[in-house]
Structures are given as structure tokens and as C-alpha cells.
Amino acid sequence: MAKSLLKTSSLPGRTKLLHQTGLSLYSTSHGFYEEEVKKKLQQFPGGSIDLQKEDSGIGILTLNNPSKMNAFSGVMMLQLLEKVIELENWTEGKGLIVRGAKNTFSSGSDLNAVKSLGTPEDGMAVCMFMQNTLTRFMRLPLISVALVQGWALGGGAEFTTACDFRLMTPESKIRFVHKEMGIIPSWGGTTRLVDIIGSRQALKVLSGALKLDSKYALHIGMVEEVLQSSDETKSLEEAQEWLKQFIQGPPEVIRALKKSVCSGRELYLEEALQNERDLLGTVWGGPANLEAIAKKGKFNK
């Protein structure tokens, strides 16, 4: 849906959708009334979305509802949007790890909320809300990694696709169970999954509701690496070390790189090139650039 909206917008409109902080994919012209959706979601409490920001520039976002395998309650959906907004404004940030509490990622939506939001209109409203949130998440100027421990089911599996990379512990599994629930992925998971593993593999994964163990997920390109440990603490440490290799350097450079990759993925060629030019202007002649040139000059001597 995100790509569809981008491709049917004017060129300036697509740029705004991609780069202006806080802009939504959907508005009242699409039948989306955000405040009304928020009031409905507020009726389903339970769990929390926790954010820890470290001095290293790595944030750790924890889906915390362990009594329900970290299923998303309505309140957690609202809190996720709040944390995304906080991360959009974290100028010192460079990377982000998404994980679930108590050694499991997430089982998707809380069934209590699903049962109560039973009309097609309710389903589409939550769909638009979560597509908005996860698209903003995907566009964060942070390099993001989903640390999949235990199960990532349904909406939990969809959330992993909004991250730039995925790491799995040896015994973890990812499964898009939507077909067995009589629905399809609705948080943007299908669109992103096709980008990650291609349309043929995505069709197999979705129509077969396949259980992707770590070995098979690695084979089809769903994940970057299988970690050594299944221990909650040790696997988090491994994920942090893995991420650090990609975020070495000043925040402004890492963030510009991520923005440039996002525009290359989502925009037409001419517009992506123009955006690359504009991003270059934010770092060329900057402190990191001048320091690197000075060091290179000394090295040559």
C-alpha cells in the first residue's frame, strides 16, 4: 500500500511522504480518522512498549506483554506510535534493536482486541493505523534490526519486515499465520516481504503459512544471520555487536545514509538522485568530512 500511494502521488507529494517527519500515509480522504481509531484502541489495555536509548547510539525497543507472548494490545499499538515519534526526534541515534520480553518476539495482535473490532470497517481502520506507524518506523533514520527470539507470529512476523535486518536465535521461528485466521497480512507485511524475499518465495511463505525456522529463513534470505545463543541476554549482546559494525561513525552520516537508501527504494530515479544530492549537502564540508580529509592527508604523509 505504501508503494502504491507513493507511485500515484505527484513527485513533490512522494518526497513529502518519505521525508517530512510526522506525515501519514492515510488521511480523512482515505476514510481514516486517526483520533477515532485511537479512542477505540485505548479500550484494550495490557502490556507496554519500552524504549531504552544507550550512549552508543543504539536504541532497544522491547515489546513487553509476556503473559500473552508479547501480543499487541490496543494500548501497545498506541505506545508504538509514541515511541516511533520519539525515535524520529532522537538526533544522537544511529541504530535500533527490536525484541520481545522473556525470550519471545511477538504473537501478533491480542485476540481480545481482534474479537471486539470485528467489522470490516474496524479492521481497515486498524490496518491503516498500523501501516502508518510501521511505515514511519521503516523510514526512521536509524539502522534497525529485529532480534527474533522464540516465536514471531502474525503481526509479530509483519513487524520484523519493517526492520532493515533480521537476526534469529537458533531455536526461533517466524510464521505468517494470517491465512489460518481467514485474513491476509494488513500491517504492510506482504508488501515488505515481497521486497525482502521476492514474490515467489513470499507467496509460498504466506499461502503455506510456513513455519520458518532459522535455517530455512536464512536460506531464503529472510534473515541475515543465525546467532550463536538462544539465551535472552547473550543473544541481545550478540545482536548489539552485530549492529555496531554498521553504525560506526558520526550520527549525521549514518542517518543520511539510511535516508538515502530509503529514497532509493521508494522514489523514482530522478527524485531519488535529487534527494541524494540534498542529503550530501548536509554532510559535505561538515565536521566528520573535514576530520576524515585531515586524517587522510596525514596518512598520506
Side-chain angles (χ1 to χ4, degrees):
M1 178 58 71
K3 283 194 170 182
S4 173
L5 284 171
L6 289 170
K7 288 180 179 178
T8 57
S9 302
S10 65
L11 289 175
R14 288 201 311 277
T15 303
K16 284 185 178 180
L17 280 172
L18 184 56
H19 296 293
Q20 188 170 325
T21 299
L23 275 187
S24 172
L25 289 174
Y26 298 106
S27 65
T28 55
S29 64
H30 302 98
F32 179 63
Y33 300 90
E34 185 174 40
E35 293 307 313
E36 292 182 11
V37 178
K38 286 181 176 179
K39 288 179 182 178
K40 287 187 177 182
L41 293 176
Q42 194 69 47
Q43 299 172 25
F44 305 101
S48 62
I49 303 293
D50 305 327
L51 176 61
Q52 175 184 344
K53 293 184 285 190
E54 301 188 344
D55 293 338
S56 64
I58 293 178
I60 300 174
L61 189 75
T62 303
L63 316 178
N64 191 357
N65 194 9
S67 66
K68 295 187 176 182
M69 292 180 62
N70 301 321
F72 275 85
S73 66
V75 166
M76 288 174 68
M77 293 180 187
L78 296 174
Q79 289 182 358
L80 178 61
L81 176 58
E82 292 171 1
K83 299 305 182 186
V84 169
I85 293 170
E86 184 176 345
L87 288 166
E88 286 174 340
N89 293 286
W90 185 31
T91 56
E92 298 82 13
K94 298 189 286 184
L96 182 68
I97 295 172
V98 182
R99 63 191 286 266
K102 303 299 182 183
N103 218 24
T104 196
F105 191 79
S106 173
S107 58
S109 298
D110 184 347
L111 288 181
N112 288 331
V114 171
K115 291 175 183 177
S116 299
L117 299 169
T119 68
E121 291 76 16
D122 286 336
M124 290 180 66
V126 175
C127 162
M128 288 188 280
F129 182 86
M130 289 302 290
Q131 284 189 4
N132 279 343
T133 300
L134 290 180
T135 300
R136 287 176 68 170
F137 175 91
M138 180 179 68
R139 292 172 176 165
L140 285 171
L142 307 169
I143 297 177
S144 59
V145 179
L147 170 56
V148 183
Q149 303 160 302
W151 282 95
L153 298 171
E158 291 195 66
F159 196 171
T160 70
T161 67
C163 295
D164 299 313
F165 303 109
R166 284 147 295 282
L167 301 173
M168 293 179 74
T169 57
E171 298 173 4
S172 61
K173 293 180 176 64
I174 299 173
R175 190 180 185 207
F176 294 81
V177 296
H178 305 78
K179 185 190 76 169
E180 296 190 352
M181 301 297 293
I183 57 172
I184 64 171
S186 61
W187 296 0
T190 300
T191 301
R192 294 188 298 267
L193 187 64
V194 169
D195 277 344
I196 295 166
I197 62 174
S199 59
R200 291 175 63 233
Q201 288 288 4
L203 189 57
K204 290 179 185 177
V205 167
L206 297 174
S207 64
L210 301 183
K211 295 179 183 178
L212 305 180
D213 61 25
S214 57
K215 183 177 179 180
Y216 186 64
L218 183 64
H219 172 69
I220 65 173
M222 181 72 186
V223 300
E224 316 309 313
E225 192 171 310
V226 179
L227 302 177
Q228 295 289 319
S229 178
S230 292
D231 178 78
E232 183 176 13
T233 301
K234 290 181 180 178
S235 59
L236 177 58
E237 291 172 353
E238 282 188 67
Q240 289 174 304
E241 287 303 311
W242 187 89
L243 179 56
K244 283 178 182 177
Q245 66 185 309
F246 301 109
I247 62 166
Q248 294 179 6
E252 64 271 17
V253 177
I254 303 301
R255 294 163 69 84
L257 283 170
K258 172 64 186 289
K259 290 177 181 178
S260 185
V261 169
C262 283
S263 66
R265 178 181 60 217
E266 297 190 43
L267 301 179
Y268 291 128
L269 175 63
E270 294 85 352
E271 194 174 17
L273 290 171
Q274 292 167 11
N275 188 63
E276 184 177 300
R277 174 205 62 198
D278 295 342
L279 288 168
L280 175 66
T282 68
V283 292
W284 187 285
N289 178 227
L290 296 177
E291 182 180 350
I293 291 172
K295 284 182 178 179
K296 185 67 173 176
K298 292 176 182 177
F299 177 78
N300 287 338
K301 293 176 182 177

